Amino acid sequence: MLIEQCAYSNRWRRVTPAAKGLFSLGALIAAFTATQPATAALVALLLVITAVFGAGVPAARFLRVALPPLGFLLLGCLTLAYSLDFAPANGGFTVRWLPAGWSPVLQLAARSCAALSALLFLALTTPLVDLIALLRRLKMPEVLLEIMVLCYRMLFVFSEALHDTRTAQAARLGYATPALTLRSLGSLTANLTLQIWQRAHDLNVAAQSRNNDGAFRFLEPAYANSRRDITLACLGVLALVLLAVTLR
Amino acid sequence: MTTDVLLEFADVAFRYPDGNAGLAGCSLTIARGSRNALIGANGAGKTTLFQHANGLLKPQQGVVRYAGQPVDYSRAGLRALRSEVGLVFQNPDQQLFSASVREDVSFGPLNLGLDMATVRERVEQALQAVSMAPFADRPVHNLSFGQKKRVCIAGVLAMQPRLLILDEPMAGLDHAMRAELLAVLDGLHAQGITLLLATHDIDFAYRWADRIHLIAGGRCTAAFDAAALPEHAEALAAARLPMPGLVELHRLLVARKLLPTDSQPRAMGELISQLNASEKDFQ
Ligand SMILES: Nc1ncnc2c1ncn2[C@@H]1O[C@H](COP(=O)(O)OP(=O)(O)O)[C@@H](O)[C@H]1O
Ligand SMILES: [Mg+2]
């Protein structure tokens, strides 16, 4: 929800998603071409600066959203740093610290950070609605897009239904003891399953009433200055990739 | 007179697969350009009736006629019907399924096969009509209940129906939102759109409607001009509805000779201004 909020309130909300998508794709490429850890870190830093000062994403929020994936990255680095040797001659396992030195670990970390920043840049500046519209323009198969649209909408409908049912149960002491909790969770699941069934049916009826014949079509939003923004994005990409290539 | 009938139900019956009677021999006529209130208790069959009007359900007995012609349940026939008869569902979450407001409103007109420029124009007009234009790019799930409701109406308006049906539009709205919705409906009526809405509120129906239809047990039990409501006490009682307090009060004031017999206020405000204008002394 934090991402969602940010995507709608940032300064670059009105910039065409094509430009933002292009920029973040270019940044991803730069992240992969940067072989030196320092270069990748620089790319990551530049991306964060673009997001924070360009698009006006609050730095604290960027950090909060980045924390969970960074945690995973740390775990990944730790497993890379250790190596477990099994040599029967020595009589069992030996744990070795940094068999290949720091460099592969640093490289992985810095590259991942850069790639992560590239993705977060897109996620934090572009609402999913716009991304779906962009994917549609890129001729992504309609079926996948429809599924995305419906899932996105249903996500909110169901989190609301889930929340309501849970609150109603809690209000009548449904979660007072562990045994009751188990019981309540059971009936919650049953109830939600029914609701999902019902909602799916209702949505279909509603779509028919507005003359739907199967394919979902929606209006694409219009963006001012999209040519200028795409040009700027191209320049940004060029700069990033050049940086990554020259400093490799 | 017959040429003026836009929608007609003749002895329509429908039973749900689980055996519940949705409609049981319902007859009703909606005149072109009129404001109609359909009043009935929960489970009376209002929603079922509306789904028949939009061709979502097919009568198992009787006929539904639109503009004098029996509804054609072929693909093309339904398409034609649904582009003329717009249905706003009771629960906005049932109707809204796009991510953003603008997308959702564009859904119906695009289904009509209109070109992008026309659709864009209609979407803007519809959003303007329900004063939701500033919210066009917002995601649907961030809206309040009343706003969602207005987006639902815009989504149907953008299809430019000739008959607009609203299933309990006032339910769940606060006083101010009701007033706004009423203003929207008045605007639509002024454009010549025929309106049919379901409600429980007899006071509101008396104030707003041209014609009132009572429904109970899947059957239309009475239909009369709203102005003639005071004479239909029996029909109201049979549908277990109270006579509007305003009518009772007005009768009393006439009996006490505080108001002339030919006055007929339909809203409390009207009654008050009539009283203020009357020469009589209240002592
Ligand atoms: N999907 C359904 N399946 C079975 N019975 C239904 C269904 N929808 C409505 N009914 C039944 O049909 C009758 C009329 O319902 P409905 O048209 O929803 O009434 P209203 O809208 O006036 O509250 C009720 O008795 C109700 O139980
Ligand atoms: Mg209903």
Side-chain angles (χ1 to χ4, degrees):
Chain A
M1 296 304 110
L2 208 62
I3 297 185
E4 178 76 12
Q5 233 177 22
C6 196
Y8 274 98
S9 57
N10 75 83
R11 224 181 287 146
W12 284 355
R13 165 78 175 83
R14 300 259 105 247
V15 171
T16 168
K20 290 181 283 193
L22 189 69
F23 183 67
S24 116
L25 186 72
L28 266 182
I29 294 173
F32 283 112
T33 38
T35 39
Q36 290 296 322
T39 316
L42 187 63
V43 170
L45 191 70
L46 283 177
L47 284 171
V48 175
I49 288 176
T50 319
V52 172
F53 292 99
V57 176
R61 183 169 289 174
F62 197 106
L63 197 67
R64 255 203 71 186
V65 175
L67 270 182
L70 283 179
F72 278 109
L73 182 60
L74 193 69
L75 265 182
C77 288
L78 278 180
T79 51
L80 202 72
Y82 282 104
S83 111
L84 198 62
D85 262 6
F86 181 68
N90 301 2
F93 293 101
T94 47
V95 175
R96 288 202 297 160
W97 172 247
L98 287 177
W102 275 105
S103 73
V105 179
L106 277 183
Q107 191 184 9
L108 175 77
R111 268 185 171 179
S112 307
C113 277
L116 178 67
S117 315
L119 285 181
L120 281 185
F121 167 79
L122 187 63
L124 285 172
T125 56
T126 318
L128 198 67
V129 182
D130 294 2
L131 280 184
I132 292 175
L134 177 64
L135 290 175
R136 180 170 289 124
R137 289 228 326 252
L138 293 177
K139 300 281 177 273
M140 172 114 155
E142 273 301 318
V143 194
L144 289 183
L145 288 174
E146 276 161 28
I147 292 174
M148 274 177 85
V149 168
L150 282 182
C151 284
Y152 178 70
R153 173 80 186 117
M154 285 316 226
L155 201 64
F156 292 99
V157 171
F158 289 134
S159 71
E160 217 159 83
L162 179 74
H163 178 255
D164 288 352
T165 314
R166 255 191 77 103
T167 316
Q169 287 179 332
R172 284 183 287 155
L173 293 180
Y175 295 90
T177 67
L180 278 176
T181 300
L182 205 61
R183 232 185 89 111
S184 297
L185 280 180
S187 63
L188 178 75
T189 318
N191 180 286
L192 270 186
T193 314
L194 267 183
Q195 284 207 28
I196 289 174
W197 184 269
Q198 185 65 41
R199 297 260 188 176
H201 174 257
D202 286 352
L203 274 182
N204 186 28
V205 169
Q208 273 181 35
S209 94
R210 281 202 275 165
N211 240 332
N212 185 249
D213 50 11
F216 283 8
R217 287 167 294 257
F218 298 109
L219 195 59
E220 286 166 16
Y223 296 93
N225 297 329
S226 62
R227 186 155 299 161
R228 184 203 70 188
D229 291 336
I230 289 179
T231 318
L232 280 179
C234 282
L235 287 179
V237 167
L238 214 62
L240 276 180
V241 173
L242 271 181
L243 182 85
V245 171
T246 46
L247 290 183
R248 59 188 301 153
Chain B
M1 182 67 201
T2 43
T3 51
D4 274 333
V5 173
L6 189 60
L7 180 72
E8 182 184 6
F9 277 59
D11 198 28
V12 172
F14 181 86
R15 194 173 278 283
Y16 282 98
D18 61 357
N20 276 333
L23 289 178
C26 179
S27 299
L28 156 135
T29 53
I30 303 291
R32 202 183 289 272
S34 62
R35 286 175 293 200
N36 299 268
L38 180 67
I39 309 183
N42 282 324
K46 302 182 292 293
T47 303
T48 311
L49 188 144
F50 289 168
Q51 297 205 351
H52 276 88
N54 189 259
L56 291 168
L57 296 175
K58 188 174 174 177
Q60 289 155 354
Q61 177 199 313
V63 254
V64 178
R65 290 194 193 87
Y66 180 78
Q69 298 295 319
V71 170
D72 165 13
Y73 288 89
S74 71
R75 228 181 148 78
L78 285 180
R79 211 181 152 74
L81 178 71
R82 288 175 188 158
S83 60
E84 301 253 319
V85 181
L87 174 55
V88 178
F89 287 76
Q90 184 174 353
N91 177 2
D93 278 325
Q94 174 177 356
Q95 191 177 330
L96 301 174
F97 49 82
S98 318
S100 87
V101 169
R102 191 193 307 273
E103 272 195 6
D104 200 277
V105 176
S106 72
F107 178 74
L110 282 174
N111 284 337
L112 291 178
L114 301 168
D115 63 283
M116 279 292 168
T118 317
V119 170
R120 216 173 275 279
E121 190 179 313
R122 280 196 184 192
V123 168
E124 294 314 319
Q125 271 175 4
L127 284 174
Q128 214 107 66
V130 297
S131 4
M132 285 295 288
F135 298 86
D137 294 307
R138 290 273 287 274
V140 166
H141 55 86
N142 277 353
L143 301 179
S144 74
F145 184 82
Q147 292 171 332
K148 280 185 188 170
K149 206 125 199 178
R150 282 192 270 163
V151 174
C152 286
I153 296 177
V156 174
L157 279 186
M159 298 176 76
Q160 300 192 344
R162 284 211 268 165
L163 169 61
L164 181 64
I165 302 181
L166 303 107
D167 200 352
E168 305 199 21
M170 300 297 175
L173 296 187
D174 67 26
H175 191 79
M177 290 198 289
R178 280 177 196 213
E180 281 170 25
L181 180 56
L182 267 188
V184 170
L185 292 183
D186 283 342
L188 295 176
H189 179 246
Q191 288 172 30
I193 297 179
T194 310
L195 296 170
L196 167 60
L197 60 77
T199 176
H200 302 288
D201 186 347
I202 183 82
D203 297 297
F204 162 72
Y206 183 52
R207 185 169 75 236
W208 176 81
D210 298 322
R211 203 164 167 80
I212 291 177
H213 310 259
L214 301 184
I215 182 169
R219 181 173 276 131
C220 285
T221 52
F224 43 80
D225 286 341
L229 179 97
E231 296 138 42
H232 288 85
E234 273 171 37
L236 285 181
R240 315 223 334 222
L241 286 164
M243 183 59 81
L246 182 66
V247 174
E248 306 275 13
L249 181 60
H250 176 250
R251 272 193 191 142
L252 208 62
L253 289 172
V254 169
R256 299 273 170 93
K257 304 207 162 32
L258 288 169
L259 279 180
T261 37
D262 60 353
S263 65
Q264 194 189 15
R266 297 268 288 269
M268 198 48 92
E270 269 175 60
L271 178 69
I272 290 171
S273 52
Q274 282 177 10
L275 274 178
N276 276 333
S278 109
E279 303 287 302
K280 296 277 176 8
D281 190 351
F282 292 99
Q283 285 304 307

